[in-house]
Structure formats: C-alpha cells, structure tokens
Amino acid sequence: MDLDAITKYSTLHAKPNGLLLQYGTAGFRTKAEHLDHVMFRMGLLAALRSRQTKSTIGIMVTASHNPEEDNGVKLVDPLGEMLAPTWEEHATCLANVEEQDMQRALTDISEKEAVDLLQDAFVVIGRDTRPSSEKLSQSVIHGVTVLGGQFHDYGLLTTPQLHYMVYCRNTNGQYGQATVEGYYQKHAKAFVGLTKQASYTGDGCRTLKVDCANGVGALKLREMEHYFSPELSVLLCNDGTKGKLNHLCGADFVKSHQQPPEGMEMKPNERCCSFDGDADRIVYYYRDADGHFHLIDGDKIATLISSFLKELLLEIGEDLKVGVIQTAYANGSSTRYLEEVMKVPVYCTKTGVKHLHHKAQEFDIGIYFEANGHGTVLFSKVAEMKIRQLAQELEGNKRKAAQILENIIDLFNQAIGDAISDMLVIEAILALKGMTVQQWDALYTDIPNRQLKVKVADRQVISTTDAERQALTPPGLQDAIDGLVKKYRLSRAFVRPSGTEDVVRVYAEADSQESADSLAHEVSLAVFQLAGGVEERPQPSF
Ligand code: 16G
Ligand code: MG
C-alpha cells in the first residue's frame, strides 16, 4: 500500500470539516456536494475488501428514491449481497477520519481483517442518472486505482443490475454473463419461456404502463424491451425526458402517498406499476371504473407469488420448505391471509433488505418483500437442483409445473430485489393464471393504515425489540402506545428511528382510515413528548 500516494491524492478529495456520516441501511446517503471524499474513500475500501475476499466487489453510486440533489454509495459483497456488517463499521470509520488519520485508518482495517496486500483487487462500478453521479463515480475509480486496484466501469445501471454483475463475476459465469446483454438475455429467455406456457392470456391485455420515476429504470427497460416483446409491451412514463428524478413519481411516492404518480394517464382497470429511482422497488396499481385508486404493494406481490409457487409445488409433489419474510410494515391483512388462508409460515425481521435477505436464505424457497415493494425470491442450491432434475424426469402437467418453476428460478434476481425482474415474474404469473389486476387485488383487503414522521433531537433515544414492533426506550413510550392502540379496533402501531432520514417513523393500522389517521397522530404526539420532539408538534393533517 503506497501510503504517501494515498495521502497525496486524498487531499484532492478533502473531507468537509466536521462532517460525520454513517453507513446506514442503504450505504451513505446525503446531499451530493458532501460526498466526494466518501466516494474516494469507498473506492479505497472496496479495493481492500476485494483483496480480502479474493473476489470482485461492487460499488453503486445512487440515492435510490431520494431527491435528485442527493446521492449515495453502496458496496456490494461477492455474492451480490449487501456489505458485511463489520465492513459497514469500517466504512463509517474510514468516511469520518480526518485527512491526517487516513493512513492509520487504512492500516488498521487491513490488519484487523488480515488483508493480503499483494493480492489483486477488482472493483465494478455502476451509477444512476443523477447529474452528480458521473463525477462521483470518477472519485470512486480514483480511490480504487490509488490503492493499485483494477476496475470496470459499467456506467449507467440499475442497482440490481450491478448486484447481478458482481454475482456473475464471482461464480465464473454460472449465474449468467456479466454484461447488460447477458442480464437481458437471461431474464428475457426465462420470461418468454414462461409466457409460452400460458394456455390463455387472461384479460387479453398484455400491455403494462410503467412509471420509471424519471430514473435509470427507463433507460434500461427501453434497452431491454425488444428482448421480451411481443409477449409483453411496456408503455413508459416518467422516462426522464421531461420530469425530475423521483419528483411526484416513482414507487416510494406512490406507496407513501397512496396516489398515482404525476405524468401517468390511467384508464379504468388498466394495469400500471412504478419503479423507484434505481429500480430496486416496484409497486402495482390501477383505477377502478368509479375512479378509485387501488394500490398493490409489496405485501400483495408476495402473496401472489407465494400462492403461485405453492400451487406448483403441490403439482410436482415436492415438500420444499417455503417461508415468507416480511417486516413490521406488512399490512396485518397480508400476514393473516398468508398464515391462515395459504398456510405458509411468515417471519418478521427488522426493516432493511439485508435482514430480510438473510432470513430468506434459511429456506428452500424464501420469499421476501417489504411493503414498499423491495423483494425477491431465493432458491437454495438443493431446491434448485431438485427442480431442474424434476423438469427433466417428470411427465405431463407435472413436468410443465417443474419447467415453470425452473424458469421462475432464472427470472428472479438471486442477489437482491429487482423491479425489472419482479415485473416480469408478476406479468408471467398473471398471464399463466389468466388473472386480472382486480382479481389479484381482491385476494384480501388491506387494513387502513397511516405512516407519519416525527422530528426529535436525537432519534437514537428510541430503541426497539421484537423486529421493531416494541419500543424499549425511552421509558414509558411503549406503555403509551399500548394504551392508545387499545382505543381502536383491529389496531396496531409501532415506532422506529429511520435508518435513512433524521426522523422517527410512526406506523398505525386500524379498522377505518379515520381511526388509523388518529391513532398515528396520537402515537406521534407520544413520541414528541417522550422522545424529545423538536420543531412543531405533529399536526393531524392527512
Ligand atoms: C432503505 C432500504 C429499505 C428500507 C428503507 C427504510 C435497502 C437496499 N433499502 O431504502 O430496505 O425499507 O431503507 O428506510 O436496504 P427508513 O429506515 O428510512 O424507514
Ligand atoms: Mg431503490
């Protein structure tokens, strides 16, 4: 490690005085103008991680659904997963040391992690469409090369595509080819294979309107379109040619406001979906004949997929261990439906993809979705081999079911939730089942719910347990929540400090929208009083 060169180049990416950032749920995220030093340092760190794991490491420059002025960075571990927790700590430490302590910090990490500095390092980089992303990715590259690492810059990619590239490169191409064409071909082949097996085409409408949040998903879907047409035709809106990234559009906006994005004309009963800014989330929705908006979120996506997979497993007669993973934000109706009607075991983890992903790996088939639309399905190696074998050996309908499962394995991104691949799975399932968007929506009715935010002086005064469903501190808060929840029917509420914003999040469910709104408001007041609220007291405005 040429420590002098590092010191010299580091000053070109100087850290603003006093700025402290944390590698949070989804990496570093803040205003783009504060991130240059973080990018350079994450380039250094990725080179160390690559040497230690003797594998390719990924770096994605994006702030996902955050405003265009923000940016962020995430490291991707060898099998396409999120960075290991100990390295998240190294990342935070390295991002925050002052210039004069950089050498020591790097040496410390190398020693603690027994990094072989003679080992080759290789890092792949992707970025979203933010105006700041290109320059910031150059700073990442600078960091990688100063530490003697090599790199491949993929340029514009969706976040899940970058995870896919890392996974492919570290499994010698067994998972797929590490190129965008490889990604398109693999997924389109599985999709076309699936839809060919559809004996009828449901509502006859194989057109889908996609709100791309004015982000990178639009570019990539355009590139991919001809690989899967005419089986599916996509009409893109908010494709980045006019509007601003994530502004009044995208999956996060639609889910949190429970309303359609700007820029999308919806005819009655037309199937529509929204991606977020880096295309790792998807939600569906439609407007009924009376003009009412219906949201189909991650919970209902998980339900559709789980019921389809269960039917196929029944057909092939395999008793594989299936589990559905949710977070506390999952609508109570979805959990009840999965457990009581579909009889699949449901598990709850803390918010954040890495927790769900990790839990899903415990099953032969682990289905995970956050209510916000981030999710995928993981197949264990054993389950995959079994299914591929049955697709050869079985006959008739059983063989067809095994072949469908085989294509489903290829279509789901095994590294991370992926809006494009999820969209293709959903479209294939609807076609195979001959199901309309209304029939899908009618599986169960969501319990009315409300999410609010409260500003407090230090959100870390709130600590939680039981997958964030119970508050441990500050004292008295959980008792207050319990007392409020008792006042409403079918009610539930919890609070947690956000991992991406400086706020406390409040979630409430109850038998009517008015009750959910007022329970959420009352819980917000309790947080404000007991956890050191600042600025204005929460107002009941919905
Ligand atoms: C990030 C997480 C997402 C989580 C959200 C919660 C990843 C890739 N994304 O977007 O899973 O739901 O943060 O945000 O991990 P919050 O902590 O601000 O509520
Ligand atoms: Mg995202």
Side-chain angles (χ1 to χ4, degrees):
M1 202 155 49
D2 183 351
L3 291 170
D4 290 336
I6 294 165
T7 309
K8 180 169 147 214
Y9 290 114
S10 181
T11 52
L12 300 176
H13 302 277
K15 178 172 112 59
N17 268 342
L19 181 68
L20 290 181
L21 296 169
Q22 202 193 348
Y23 196 98
T25 332
F28 292 104
R29 229 175 253 188
T30 187
K31 292 271 162 278
E33 70 251 32
H34 295 145
L35 278 169
D36 182 51
H37 69 293
V38 177
M39 297 292 167
F40 175 76
R41 293 172 183 203
M42 288 309 104
L44 299 173
L45 191 75
L48 288 185
R49 180 67 171 151
S50 172
R51 290 202 165 100
Q52 188 219 25
T53 56
K54 303 187 174 49
S55 307
T56 297
I57 293 295
I59 295 201
M60 183 71 198
V61 177
T62 180
S64 183
H65 54 276
N66 284 30
E68 189 168 276
E69 302 70 40
D70 291 5
N71 218 322
V73 59
K74 273 194 273 216
L75 269 68
V76 179
D77 253 358
L79 294 180
E81 334 90 301
M82 302 289 182
L83 185 64
T86 44
W87 281 76
E88 287 188 357
E89 283 170 31
H90 299 325
T92 299
C93 167
L94 192 61
N96 291 326
V97 288
E98 298 304 331
E99 288 306 322
Q100 66 274 15
D101 298 325
M102 277 279 287
Q103 291 194 1
R104 194 177 42 78
L106 284 168
T107 316
D108 275 0
I109 297 169
S110 304
E111 281 173 5
K112 260 192 212 142
E113 297 291 345
V115 176
D116 175 0
L117 294 170
L118 298 174
Q119 184 68 34
D120 289 340
F122 198 84
V123 178
V124 291
I125 298 138
R127 65 178 144 87
D128 71 11
T129 52
R130 288 178 159 75
S132 58
S133 291
E134 187 168 0
K135 186 158 179 289
L136 290 174
S137 70
Q138 289 305 318
S139 305
V140 169
I141 291 171
H142 201 191
V144 174
T145 49
V146 163
L147 216 58
Q150 291 190 308
F151 70 94
H152 178 79
D153 181 9
Y154 280 100
L156 293 165
L157 282 187
T158 69
T159 296
Q161 285 179 326
L162 196 259
H163 285 255
Y164 164 91
M165 300 304 173
V166 174
Y167 195 16
C168 290
R169 282 175 178 268
N170 290 318
T171 47
N172 296 325
Q174 272 175 33
Y175 184 63
Q177 263 197 331
T179 59
V180 276
E181 288 76 23
Y183 174 95
Y184 298 145
Q185 276 160 3
K186 174 179 166 139
H187 293 91
K189 181 162 173 264
F191 175 70
V192 173
L194 276 174
T195 44
K196 285 240 165 71
Q197 281 152 326
S199 44
Y200 54 103
T201 57
D203 57 6
C205 164
R206 302 294 284 278
T207 303
L208 175 68
K209 280 195 173 161
V210 188
D211 153 32
C212 297
N214 292 315
V216 66
L219 303 178
K220 298 297 149 182
L221 209 46
R222 276 238 192 286
E223 282 173 15
M224 189 179 186
E225 215 178 343
H226 69 273
Y227 289 84
F228 56 67
S229 69
E231 271 76 7
L232 173 68
S233 100
V234 284
L235 292 176
L236 308 192
C237 25
N238 297 322
D239 63 354
T241 49
K242 290 193 292 281
K244 205 172 167 188
L245 179 70
N246 296 324
H247 183 60
L248 305 176
C249 61
D252 193 64
F253 172 84
V254 173
K255 168 71 180 159
S256 52
H257 291 78
Q258 307 192 13
Q259 70 184 62
E262 299 256 305
M264 178 177 278
E265 265 183 48
M266 292 167 68
K267 297 201 189 89
N269 296 331
E270 229 174 21
R271 214 165 56 248
C272 306
C273 68
S274 285
F275 293 1
D276 73 336
D278 62 340
D280 65 354
R281 291 189 192 179
I282 182 168
V283 294
Y284 269 70
Y285 44 91
Y286 68 100
R287 222 188 254 296
D288 64 23
D290 298 329
H292 292 125
F293 174 75
H294 296 255
L295 174 67
I296 303 182
D297 64 5
D299 302 335
K300 230 169 225 172
I301 294 174
T303 310
L304 177 78
I305 294 168
S306 311
S307 69
F308 186 66
L309 292 178
K310 257 206 110 175
E311 281 167 26
L312 293 171
L313 291 176
L314 210 64
E315 179 69 44
I316 63 168
E318 265 314 303
D319 192 20
L320 294 172
K321 199 171 147 213
V322 178
V324 179
I325 328 296
Q326 303 185 315
T327 70
Y329 289 108
N331 194 277
S333 277
S334 74
T335 315
R336 199 192 58 78
Y337 183 86
L338 285 161
E339 285 180 335
E340 293 174 18
V341 181
M342 287 186 40
K343 312 272 183 231
V344 283
V346 180
Y347 301 82
C348 185
T349 68
K350 291 205 291 192
T351 302
V353 173
K354 64 183 171 200
H355 301 294
L356 291 105
H357 191 90
H358 195 211
K359 185 73 191 170
Q361 286 172 326
E362 291 176 14
F363 300 86
D364 289 321
I365 303 183
I367 301 153
Y368 76 83
F369 266 88
E370 290 191 300
N372 62 27
H374 186 115
T376 190
V377 177
L378 303 184
F379 294 83
S380 70
K381 278 282 156 257
V382 173
E384 180 178 344
M385 273 164 57
K386 186 90 214 154
I387 289 165
R388 293 205 195 275
Q389 188 191 345
L390 291 174
Q392 304 284 324
E393 288 173 0
L394 293 174
E395 284 174 13
N397 279 346
K398 288 182 184 297
R399 184 190 185 110
K400 197 171 150 187
Q403 286 173 340
I404 291 178
L405 276 168
E406 211 180 4
N407 278 322
I408 295 252
I409 296 174
D410 291 335
L411 195 44
F412 271 119
N413 191 326
Q414 295 296 292
I416 191 93
D418 181 335
I420 293 181
S421 109
D422 290 344
M423 174 192 85
L424 293 175
V425 173
I426 293 164
E427 291 301 310
I429 294 179
L430 294 177
L432 283 161
K433 286 176 81 89
M435 204 176 191
T436 63
V437 70
Q438 298 88 327
Q439 287 167 332
W440 174 18
D441 187 33
L443 287 178
Y444 60 82
T445 308
D446 277 325
I447 301 177
N449 57 88
R450 177 64 63 193
Q451 279 197 54
L452 295 175
K453 317 181 200 188
V454 186
K455 199 105 178 92
V456 298
D458 172 13
R459 69 191 197 279
Q460 301 310 339
V461 299
I462 297 201
S463 62
T464 62
T465 182
D466 186 24
E468 301 177 320
R469 290 173 291 193
Q470 297 278 322
L472 285 173
T473 57
L477 180 58
Q478 189 56 47
D479 288 342
I481 296 173
D482 291 342
L484 295 168
V485 165
K486 280 206 191 95
K487 291 168 46 185
Y488 299 88
R489 289 191 55 241
L490 288 178
S491 56
R492 181 170 82 85
F494 67 89
V495 303
R496 53 176 281 280
S498 158
T500 63
E501 249 185 282
D502 190 13
V503 294
V504 175
R505 297 205 193 280
V506 172
Y507 178 88
E509 274 179 15
D511 62 340
S512 69
Q513 191 60 55
E514 295 70 42
S515 302
D517 288 350
S518 105
L519 176 57
H521 175 62
E522 288 181 298
V523 172
S524 304
L525 287 177
V527 171
F528 191 85
Q529 279 153 11
L530 296 167
V534 292
E535 296 179 4
E536 272 176 49
R537 272 165 64 89
Q539 298 298 314
S541 58
F542 305 110

